[in-house]
Structures are given as C-alpha cells and as structure tokens.
Amino acid sequence: MATLAVSGASGKTGWRVVQEALQRGWQVRALIRPGSVVPQGLEGAEILRLDLDQTEVLHRALSGCQALVIATGARPSVDLTGPLRVDALGVRTQLAAARAVGLDRVVLVSSLCAGRWRHPLNLFGLILVWKGLGERWLAQSGLRWTIVRPGGLSEREQGLEREGLRLTGAGQQQSRSIPRRLVARLCLDALADSASEGRIVEVTSDPALPPLALSSWLAAT
C-alpha cells in the first residue's frame, strides 16, 4: 500500500487531505508541529510531530513515502516573517528532504494570485510573494510536481457533491472561493493522474457549475 506524507496536517486543509487520503486507501503520515493540537478525524494516520528545520527527523518522516502533499501555510500573526519562513523557506526545506530520501512526487497547496506583489493579502508579510517563491522552487526542484492554487477557503461541508469546479491554468482566476474539502480531494486527484504533473491548477467552485473532474479538464487542456 502506498504511503502519503501530509505536512501541515493539523491545519484546516491538511487534516481534510489526511481524511480523504485514508478513505482512498493510502497509508498516511500526518506531519504536524510540536505545539499543534491534533484535530479529530485523523484516526488511522501515523502522526509525527516535528519542526521542518529538524533535517534528520524530516528525512525519517518522509523516508518510504511515495508522495508528499505540502499543506503548510503561515498563520495570521504579528510576526510578519511567518510567510517567508513557512511558505518559502519551509517549502524549500521539504523539497530538499524529499529529494534526499528519493520521494519524487509532490503536490503543493498554494493560493490564487501567488507571486503577485500588488495585492491586499501582501499586507500580511508579503504572503503571496513568498508563496510564489515556494512555487518556483518546486518547479525547479526536478521533482514530479503539481501546484494547486485555490481561491478563498471556506469550512462548508454541506452540498459538496453538487458543487462544480472552476478549473483553469495559472493567472486566470482572481477571486471566488472553494470549500477546503474540495481542495483536499483535488490534491489527491492530482496524485492519481500523471497528466497533472508539471501543471499549475487554479480552482474555485460554485453550486451553479456542472460537475467537472480534474482528469477531464486535464485531457481537454
């Protein structure tokens, strides 16, 4: 059985990735920070507490895994260096560890407008700038990668089966929202479809849209 590592697994998107992966038959290593509270719903996953700058510990955590979903993200804080440390340097650290242990498949959860300088979200420590740098490091890593750029993230869990996805390439969406669980499912769909490798996928959703599978969109673009 294949093993998936999920970093940021205590976060609102990360724990949904863990849940969805377990339902699809993955073995899961849920990587969380030492001080994080373990959310409900991670039963069945192997939970590992570590700081991303603990190189040897991170290597052991990723060793034997076939894929990594990076769902880490800076949290709102008065510390404006957080986005640099988490969304750029933290991503680079995980990529180096993946290469070191022979893990070559990575999905990164980023954001719409990543890499832009002129955007209101950059008032929070230039977060979109650092997310863009993390994306570039992934694209240059030599790994098999997919970047998922969701719109505004919601906690809504109802009616998701009737919700259609709006999928585009890079730089084609500016706003709109999507429930976090649909983002989690899209990350796993990307792992299951080699056509997603080397692609940036921007995604939002709307109940008025017809259902659209990632595989169908990839085949048409």
Side-chain angles (χ1 to χ4, degrees):
M1 185 181 297
T3 302
L4 172 68
V6 181
S7 61
S10 64
K12 294 179 180 179
T13 300
W15 71 262
R16 288 174 169 89
V17 175
V18 173
Q19 286 185 328
E20 294 292 328
L22 289 170
Q23 292 177 15
R24 297 191 189 195
W26 287 88
Q27 291 186 339
V28 182
R29 290 183 188 168
L31 313 185
I32 67 175
R33 287 176 280 199
S36 296
V37 176
V38 179
Q40 294 183 348
L42 298 189
E43 296 81 7
E46 179 184 3
I47 297 173
L48 302 177
R49 291 184 178 273
L50 74 161
D51 286 316
L52 293 179
D53 57 3
Q54 295 177 292
T55 303
E56 292 185 5
V57 178
L58 183 57
H59 285 187
R60 290 197 296 271
L62 298 184
S63 181
C65 294
Q66 284 69 54
L68 166 65
V69 174
I70 300 177
T72 50
R75 297 174 179 174
S77 169
V78 295
D79 179 7
L80 296 183
T81 67
L84 167 62
R85 290 185 289 103
V86 176
D87 295 291
L89 300 179
V91 169
R92 185 174 65 177
T93 297
Q94 293 178 74
L95 300 179
R99 289 194 300 267
V101 302
L103 186 164
D104 72 342
R105 183 70 174 103
V106 178
V107 173
L108 171 65
V109 181
S110 184
S111 172
L112 288 188
C113 303
R116 293 193 181 185
W117 281 89
R118 302 182 68 178
H119 193 285
L121 285 178
N122 283 328
L123 295 174
F124 171 46
L126 296 177
I127 187 169
L128 294 177
V129 174
W130 301 128
K131 282 185 179 292
L133 183 57
E135 287 187 1
R136 289 197 296 276
W137 280 336
L138 175 56
Q140 297 166 2
S141 67
L143 303 172
R144 296 184 297 127
W145 58 270
T146 305
I147 294 167
V148 175
R149 289 181 177 174
L153 296 165
S154 78
E155 310 301 312
R156 181 165 53 84
E157 296 277 350
Q158 293 76 35
L160 302 187
E161 303 306 325
R162 300 186 299 275
E163 189 137 351
L165 299 180
R166 182 181 291 104
L167 298 166
T168 64
Q172 298 181 45
Q173 298 195 56
Q174 315 298 321
S175 58
R176 299 191 178 95
S177 64
I178 183 171
R180 292 179 186 270
R181 190 165 298 278
L182 293 184
V183 176
R185 292 173 182 173
L186 185 69
C187 290
L188 298 171
D189 291 343
L191 288 176
D193 193 332
S194 61
S196 73
E197 294 175 15
R199 302 286 296 270
I200 296 175
V201 181
E202 296 188 342
V203 59
T204 56
S205 67
D206 193 313
L209 292 174
L212 176 61
L214 176 64
S215 58
S216 299
W217 178 78
L218 290 169
T221 58

